[in-house]
Amino acid sequence: MSGLEEGISALEVGEENVAFGRRNRRTAVSAESYVPDDLNKRKKKVNPKTDAQKVQIDEKLKVNFLFAHLDEEGRKDLCDAIFHKEFGAGEIIIKQGDKGDNFYIIEKGKCEIFVDGTLVMTCREGDSFGELALMYNSPRAATVQAVTDVECWAVDRETFKLTLMDHTLKKRDRYEAFLEDVPILSSLLKYERLTIADALKPVEYVKDQEIVRQGDPGDNFYILESGVCDIFVNGKHFGQIESGGYFGELALLHDKPRAASIVANSDKVKVLALDRTTFTGVMGSLHSILKRNAEQYKKYCDSEEKK
């Protein structure tokens, strides 16, 4: 998340702020409630855009902390729903104290952000603001004013929340079904697999791209969803990993640097990454199995090194 986004996020949720020699009180917030039935009533919105505009919006969604977890399909749905808005120089885009409605990405122009009448930030093309309005029912904690004529891309809260719900449920169902077929996870209870499914982050690589590097610290456990990967230890090829296979557990189990390098060997490789915290909490019941497999793998590597 950029410094701008961190600043606006803190402002909108009313986080304590010691900048400018003052401390703001926290503002009470509450999230809106939606149920799966809302998805059945929802008609996807599509607002026309050029291919170049779609690329620009997609790139911004990828790096924004609210949207980074969405897969390509989810970002496409959100991109389709985003609409264009224009503001004249001097016009107020959002006003402190008003109810939040939209999230904005600046396409052209320059804006200034004020809190209690004090200028705290300037934002330009590519910057975004108002994202917490998508998540909480809280008044705007800052005013954003157009310095020049400004063109923005905007998305409303309801569209975002329903898009998020739709793709979260689809992701959970798809990944839970996939995890059932991963041998190492077969002994987990359904709720444990669902917990993992919710926490998995899909990451894509292209052929010859390094996924993990030997010697680097390890923070993620990986399950290979599609494609083939090569294993290298000290530059020597040690085998391959195929769909349903996993890697990265050694560094997490032993809190040591990566023991091998993993490189994509297919034109397109998709892995599902699980962070250290979730791995430790949910995979605890599998630690004995993982450690036993790790010991067998180490013996294999040692025997290969002696050849």
Side-chain angles (χ1 to χ4, degrees), residues 3-242:
L4 171 69
E5 289 162 338
E6 289 174 342
I8 297 301
S9 296
L11 290 172
E12 292 207 341
V13 297
E15 292 289 347
E16 292 185 356
N17 189 339
V18 295
F20 311 107
R22 68 176 182 276
R23 186 178 296 270
N24 297 330
R25 289 185 177 181
R26 293 181 183 271
T27 300
V29 295
S30 61
E32 287 183 308
S33 177
Y34 292 93
V35 296
D37 284 345
D38 292 328
L39 299 176
N40 299 325
K41 305 173 186 176
R42 167 180 172 250
K43 183 177 180 180
K44 290 185 179 180
K45 300 177 182 178
V46 179
N47 294 298
K49 300 169 189 68
T50 66
D51 289 342
Q53 289 170 334
K54 291 178 181 178
V55 170
Q56 178 194 21
I57 294 170
D58 186 63
E59 289 301 316
K60 188 59 184 175
L61 295 179
K62 283 181 182 177
V63 298
N64 188 281
F65 79 106
L66 283 181
F67 313 108
H69 69 285
L70 288 176
D71 58 17
E72 186 175 349
E73 182 185 357
R75 292 197 310 274
K76 180 183 180 302
D77 283 351
L78 200 57
C79 182
D80 285 342
I82 284 176
F83 55 94
H84 194 255
K85 291 200 72 172
E86 296 183 0
F87 302 91
E91 189 172 353
I92 300 297
I93 301 175
I94 64 175
K95 184 179 179 181
Q96 185 174 357
D98 283 356
K99 181 179 180 180
D101 51 2
N102 298 323
F103 161 74
Y104 297 93
I105 301 172
I106 300 176
E107 184 183 18
K108 294 179 182 178
K110 176 182 175 182
C111 297
E112 290 180 336
I113 302 173
F114 298 86
V115 176
D116 299 330
T118 300
L119 176 65
V120 297
M121 203 171 295
T122 299
C123 46
R124 297 176 174 81
E125 180 178 337
D127 289 331
S128 60
F129 55 89
E131 53 261 49
L132 267 297
L134 304 178
M135 303 299 293
Y136 301 103
N137 287 323
S138 60
R140 296 287 195 186
T143 293
V144 179
Q145 184 175 23
V147 177
T148 64
D149 288 344
V150 172
E151 294 183 31
C152 291
W153 293 107
V155 63
D156 63 272
R157 180 171 56 241
E158 181 181 18
T159 295
F160 169 73
K161 294 286 287 237
L162 292 178
T163 299
L164 177 64
M165 178 187 293
D166 187 17
H167 289 276
T168 296
L169 293 175
K170 286 180 179 177
K171 170 191 168 185
R172 169 183 278 194
D173 290 344
R174 183 172 70 249
Y175 287 169
E176 202 272 331
F178 173 75
L179 294 175
E180 280 187 315
D181 294 329
V182 177
I184 190 66
L185 304 179
S186 60
S187 63
L188 290 177
L189 299 175
K190 183 178 179 66
Y191 84 89
E192 291 175 319
R193 286 197 301 273
L194 288 174
T195 301
I196 294 174
D198 287 341
L200 289 173
K201 181 179 179 181
V203 187
E204 293 184 355
Y205 297 89
V206 296
K207 188 174 177 63
D208 297 327
Q209 189 173 359
E210 202 169 45
I211 301 173
V212 301
R213 177 179 298 176
Q214 185 176 359
D216 283 356
D219 292 316
N220 290 308
F221 168 72
Y222 298 93
I223 300 171
L224 184 58
E225 182 177 9
S226 61
V228 176
C229 292
D230 287 321
I231 306 169
F232 294 92
V233 177
N234 298 327
K236 184 177 180 180
H237 187 261
F238 266 71
Q240 292 187 322
I241 305 172
E242 298 180 346

